[in-house]
Structure formats: C-alpha cells, structure tokens
Amino acid sequence: MLAKVLSAAVVGLNGTPIEVEVDIASQGLPSFTIVGLPDKAVEESKERVRSAIKNSGAEFPAKRITVNLAPADLPKEGPSYDLPIALGILIASGQIKGDFSNSLFTGELSLDGKLRQTNGILPQIIMAKERKIKNAFVPFENSNEAAIIKEVEVYPIKNLLSLAKYLTSEEKILPIKHSSLNEYLKNDSFDFDMNEVQGQEQAKRAMEIAAAGGHNILLKGPPGAGKTLIARTLPSILPRLSLEEALEVTKIYSISGLLDKDTIITKRQFRSPHHTTSYIGLIGGGVIPKPGEISLAHRGVLFLDEFPEFPRHVLEALRQPMEDGFVTISRAQGRITFPSKFMLVAAQNPCPCGYLGDKTHACRCSASQIARYQKRISGPMLDRIDIHLEVPAVKVEKLTSTDGIKRETSVQIRRRVQRAKDIQLNRFKNIKITSNSEMTNKDIKKFCGLSKDCVSLLKMAVARMNLSARSYHRIIKLSRTIADLEGEKDIKPSHIAESLQYRPKVEITY
C-alpha cells in the first residue's frame, strides 16, 4: 500500500514542501530503504522510526518498505523527517486511516516515541501559510514558535502515540492559541545601560545617531577608555523590531538552532565574534551552507573588537554584504542567499601598544609599527564606515566624581531614537528600506533635499578633506539622521557640520 505525507525542508531561510511517499510491498524480503538524496541524519532515521513505532505500541511491518523524499533532486538533511516517515508507515500498513493531504508533519523522534525540539520550524510554518495548508503538527517544544503564524492551526505533539490516537479519534489535541509580538515586547531588559558610562558625552551622542539611522561606527582610543562598554550599551538604545523584522531574525536563529527557550526574537541582536573567527564563521558557509555571524547580526549589531586583529581577507569579505544587505554563498549543490543588514560597530587601539596620542602614557611603537598596524584596515573598508570617533581616556576626576550629576538612561535616549526611527519608517513606507543608512543614491536625491548653504558647505568639505563619492553620500545620510533626531523636516548646515566631525582626521584615499 502507498501512503503520502506532507513535510518540509529548509533551503536557506525558506521552507520547501517535501512529499514523503511510503510504499510497503507485499512481496520481497523485509527491508527499509530511504531514497531522495538523504544525508546521514536522514538515513539514521530508519532506526529511530523503527524503535519509536514499536515502543508506541504499534506494529512495525516486517516487509519491504521504501520511503521516497520528493523532489528527489533536493538534498535532505536533519532529523525532522522522522515523524512524517513514521506516520507514513502507519498509514501504509493500515494502522491509521484518513485524509491528511492538508496537514504538515515535522519533528525528530526519540526511540521511545517522544518528539524532540527540532530546528527550522518557523520557516516551515510560513511555507505552510503561503501554500494555504490548514494544519501543522509539530513537537510540543516548538509549538510556541510556530504559533506566531496565525493562518495555520498548530497542534503541539508530545509523542507518536498521542498523534496516532488523535488521528484515529481516540484522543483530543487542541491547537495551540496563537500569540502576537506585543506579548513578548513587555519584558525588555538589557545587561548594560548608558548611565553606566562615565564621561564620553561625544561617544554617547555618536552612538545615539548610529542607533537612530543604522550607521556603521568605528571607535578608536587607548585601552580602558570604555570602547567596549560603550559598544555593549548600544542594544539598550536601539529601536524596537517590527513584526516583519522579528520574523526575519527568528527564522535565522531557528534554522541555526539558537532559539533556545525564545519563542520569537524581539530584541535586536548583538553579535561579538572573537578576532580568531574564520571566514566561514563570519560570512557563513559549509557543505550545506549555514548563516554566519553577519546574518546572525541581521537587523542588529555586529561588534568587532580589536578590529585590526581580524585577518585581512575576513574583513575584506564584509565589504559587499555591508553594501548589499545580503550575502550569497555558492556551492556545487547550489546558491543560497542570507540577509545581512547589520550595524557594524568596530573598536581599535590607535597603535599596537595602544597609547599613541595619549597624554598620560608614552607610546612605545616605532613609526613603521604604527603604519603597519593602521594599514591592516583597508581604505575601502574604512570608507564604508559612517562615523569615525576618537574615544579619549576618561579623566580620573569624572570617575571619582560624587557631585550627584544625573546621567541619561538608555530608556530616555531610546525614546528619541524611536521617534527618529518612526519618522524614517513613515518616509520609506512605499519602498523596501527601513533606515537612512540603507538609502541608495536615487533615494538620497528624493528624500534629502539640500539648501544652497548645505551644498556650499559640502563643496568646501569635498575640496579640503578629499572626500570620496561614497563618503559624500554617507555624510548626507548621516545628516538626514541628525535632522530626524531633532525633528527637522529639512537638512540644515548645522547637521552637515556635525556629520563632517565624524569623518577621520585624514580622509581615506586609494
């Protein structure tokens, strides 16, 4: 007898329907074969399915069993096909009857028939919604993640036995109640707050601008100046994620197996890879490509501490994703694209010893050492960074001050950032961008009208600072963000002037 059960595979970030066909032949020696380009994990499902069926009180047929995972030319990986294969065997052997053509089944089985948490559930449920599949049967531990999608009835399944009893009308399983993003936004808490940063008022201002417009920022200063602390406070002032952005990020973490107990990710992520991270670890890849750090930082922050210590070829690989907002990984099996719209926050010392230009410590580096150190970051890479900020050492008077000065909290700063973000969302509501940093040259002409005074100031800056065309446009985008923070409709010369302060002292040339 032949049985067909609908499941799904995850290709890149998208779910793809997989039809699990199970045939039990009445003739031939007992065997169990899986075809359709299965990987090792899928091949091993034969033993898990056999034990799960027996330990659930059902009969495993001692016949010739053939399982086909269609389409046959798409590589299948992971243990999520255990449940549809087991169900297909029960249907083909006549132990379960019914029409399940409008239902999706996915999940990994334990040997005792229990369902384990499985990666990549959210993209599969989104695919079910797009294909108008009404029901989805998923592991109990994944049910809250799947319940975000309202158009699909999600049934939380604890084990194979309870599913079999439900399908044979012996037991009831109620679909899980759908949840909304607002339910998870109430408990926003962060490990670091802006009021913990003593001094560094200019750095706080720069971080506020970067957060409001999604701009890349480079912090340069001596050891102990607070660069890392300032960077780690950034998530606490970032604007909230929209539902669409939250789903994008959750899909990435779902297929990477990093959701843990989170149902949906509601905070912008802060990724801080070590400088020994490999090219694949940062960009993504592998035999079956998986997202790297730049995709895990999508709609969030990628913090690269000790910026010059990263291998040159790894940093250069960031250039195209920073411009395009996505990374395409090509392998013999095909091409997969992952989103990578992240804010780059980099921190570095001014020289190998770290004290070049410091008034309290003497620099011990030679001129050649300093030159080599600074050349580790290429001109084109630095040119893609909107804000270059010198972070001086904090004076001891500010560290020991007990005058009771109240510093702004992250909540206060975040309100201003959110207002600026809302202005941008309204401005770009008819196009596919969400922040000023994503504007193209065409968008700049449309949304960033400049007065004669602004144009005159920019012309002077281009001549004196030897600005590149990219730097010119980045200054305009940064000025647009500063104007949004102040609630101004038009860009003013004062906004341009502040943007110019964030260019490096010696403009990049190449």
Side-chain angles (χ1 to χ4, degrees):
M1 183 176 174
L2 177 67
K4 294 184 179 182
V5 179
L6 185 62
S7 188
V10 178
V11 181
L13 288 184
N14 301 314
T16 300
I18 299 294
E19 193 171 53
V20 179
E21 301 174 323
V22 179
D23 178 67
I24 300 180
S26 57
Q27 296 179 343
L29 294 174
S31 64
F32 193 172
T33 306
I34 299 178
V35 297
L37 291 184
D39 72 347
K40 187 66 175 175
V42 180
E43 280 284 353
E44 290 175 348
S45 70
K46 291 186 287 189
E47 303 307 321
R48 292 192 297 271
V49 167
R50 189 194 311 271
S51 297
I53 289 177
K54 288 182 178 179
N55 291 327
S56 296
E59 179 186 350
F60 187 85
K63 296 182 180 180
R64 183 181 178 86
I65 302 172
T66 304
V67 176
N68 178 40
L69 306 178
D73 60 344
L74 179 70
K76 318 300 186 307
E77 62 163 336
S80 64
Y81 303 104
D82 290 2
L83 181 61
I85 290 173
L87 181 60
I89 291 173
L90 293 176
I91 295 171
S93 61
Q95 299 178 67
I96 293 177
K97 295 181 181 179
D99 180 15
F100 311 115
S101 59
N102 208 18
S103 298
L104 179 80
F105 299 85
T106 184
E108 175 187 352
L109 286 171
S110 300
L111 297 184
D112 60 359
K114 291 181 180 178
L115 278 167
R116 296 179 182 273
Q117 183 173 355
T118 307
N119 297 338
I121 292 295
L122 185 59
Q124 297 181 39
I125 302 302
I126 292 174
M127 181 276 296
K129 168 194 166 184
E130 292 170 349
R131 292 181 175 267
K132 298 185 177 0
I133 297 169
K134 292 183 179 179
N135 307 310
F137 296 83
V138 304
F140 182 85
E141 294 182 3
N142 292 107
S143 56
N144 286 330
E145 172 190 345
I148 295 295
I149 309 303
K150 295 184 178 180
E151 289 80 358
V152 180
E153 293 288 350
V154 176
Y155 291 84
I157 307 300
K158 292 185 177 180
N159 53 61
L160 181 61
L161 178 60
S162 63
L163 175 62
K165 287 184 176 181
Y166 171 76
L167 297 177
T168 54
S169 301
E170 296 178 33
E171 187 178 292
K172 280 189 176 182
I173 299 177
L174 297 176
I176 192 168
K177 183 181 177 182
H178 293 291
S179 54
S180 66
L181 180 63
N182 293 331
E183 296 176 23
Y184 302 98
L185 289 175
K186 297 175 183 176
N187 300 318
D188 269 358
S189 61
F190 301 93
D191 296 330
F192 300 91
D193 196 281
M194 274 289 181
N195 64 3
E196 299 172 18
V197 181
Q198 295 178 313
Q200 307 296 9
E201 299 305 322
Q202 187 183 15
K204 292 180 185 179
R205 168 65 175 171
M207 288 306 241
E208 181 179 340
I209 296 169
H215 301 285
N216 302 322
I217 183 170
L218 172 64
L219 306 173
K220 184 185 290 187
K227 302 185 297 295
T228 302
L229 175 60
I230 293 168
R232 291 192 179 279
T233 60
L234 181 58
S236 66
I237 66 171
L238 289 172
R240 62 180 177 271
L241 285 169
S242 66
L243 176 59
E244 184 180 347
E245 290 173 333
L247 287 176
E248 284 179 8
V249 179
T250 304
K251 281 169 66 176
I252 295 171
Y253 278 73
S254 178
I255 68 170
S256 302
L258 298 176
L259 271 185
D260 296 326
K261 295 181 180 179
D262 295 327
T263 298
I264 184 170
I265 291 178
T266 57
K267 297 178 184 176
R268 296 184 185 271
Q269 296 299 293
F270 183 91
R271 304 294 299 183
S272 180
H274 193 260
H275 59 77
T276 56
T277 300
S278 67
Y279 174 94
I280 289 177
L282 195 65
I283 304 301
V287 177
I288 299 175
K290 294 294 183 183
E293 289 291 337
I294 63 171
S295 295
L296 293 173
H298 180 59
R299 301 295 184 186
V301 177
L302 178 68
F303 176 49
L304 302 184
D305 204 0
E306 305 298 339
F307 198 37
E309 301 299 332
F310 283 81
R312 177 76 174 253
H313 73 282
V314 172
L315 292 182
E316 294 304 299
L318 288 176
R319 285 161 52 179
Q320 187 174 352
M322 286 170 66
E323 290 288 322
D324 298 340
F326 61 86
V327 59
T328 300
I329 300 169
S330 298
R331 295 290 184 269
Q333 296 176 345
R335 301 170 66 221
I336 293 178
T337 298
F338 295 116
S340 60
K341 291 182 179 178
F342 59 89
M343 272 181 64
L344 175 66
V345 179
Q348 70 170 81
N349 297 324
C351 66
C353 79
Y355 294 108
L356 178 65
D358 190 71
K359 295 179 180 179
T360 57
H361 295 81
C363 177
R364 303 187 301 272
C365 306
S366 66
S368 60
Q369 286 177 318
I370 294 171
R372 275 198 306 272
Y373 183 79
Q374 294 181 347
K375 284 182 180 179
R376 290 181 184 178
I377 312 299
S378 69
M381 185 67 198
L382 291 174
D383 206 26
R384 285 169 167 80
I385 297 175
D386 303 337
I387 300 175
H388 296 251
L389 189 68
E390 299 286 342
V391 183
V394 182
K395 294 180 180 180
V396 68
E397 292 83 3
K398 291 188 177 181
L399 291 174
T400 58
S401 174
T402 56
D403 54 8
I405 296 175
K406 289 187 177 180
R407 292 182 288 271
E408 274 194 310
T409 65
S410 291
V411 173
Q412 293 171 305
I413 298 173
R414 193 182 191 189
R415 288 196 193 105
R416 294 197 297 268
V417 169
Q418 188 62 55
R419 282 197 297 267
K421 182 68 174 180
D422 291 339
I423 291 171
Q424 295 168 59
L425 291 173
N426 184 60
R427 177 186 298 133
F428 305 132
K429 61 185 177 182
N430 295 323
I431 54 179
K432 294 182 179 181
I433 61 175
T434 60
S435 61
N436 290 331
S437 62
E438 299 175 40
M439 285 192 290
T440 63
N441 294 350
K442 182 180 178 181
D443 298 326
I444 291 173
K445 291 179 181 179
K446 182 177 180 181
F447 299 111
C448 301
L450 299 175
S451 65
K452 290 183 179 179
D453 290 340
C454 291
V455 173
S456 177
L457 182 57
L458 276 171
K459 284 182 179 179
M460 191 183 304
V462 169
R464 293 189 179 183
M465 300 174 66
N466 193 25
L467 294 174
S468 67
R470 183 184 288 114
S471 296
Y472 173 83
H473 288 113
R474 287 185 178 274
I475 287 170
I476 296 176
K477 289 191 278 189
L478 196 61
S479 302
R480 179 66 270 173
T481 299
I482 295 171
D484 291 339
L485 278 169
E486 296 182 2
E488 297 286 352
K489 184 178 179 181
D490 300 316
I491 298 174
K492 295 182 177 180
S494 60
H495 305 146
I496 300 285
E498 184 174 358
S499 299
L500 290 171
Q501 292 178 8
Y502 298 121
R503 297 309 304 168
K505 293 179 180 178
V506 179
E507 185 59 34
I508 310 304
T509 57
Y510 43 94

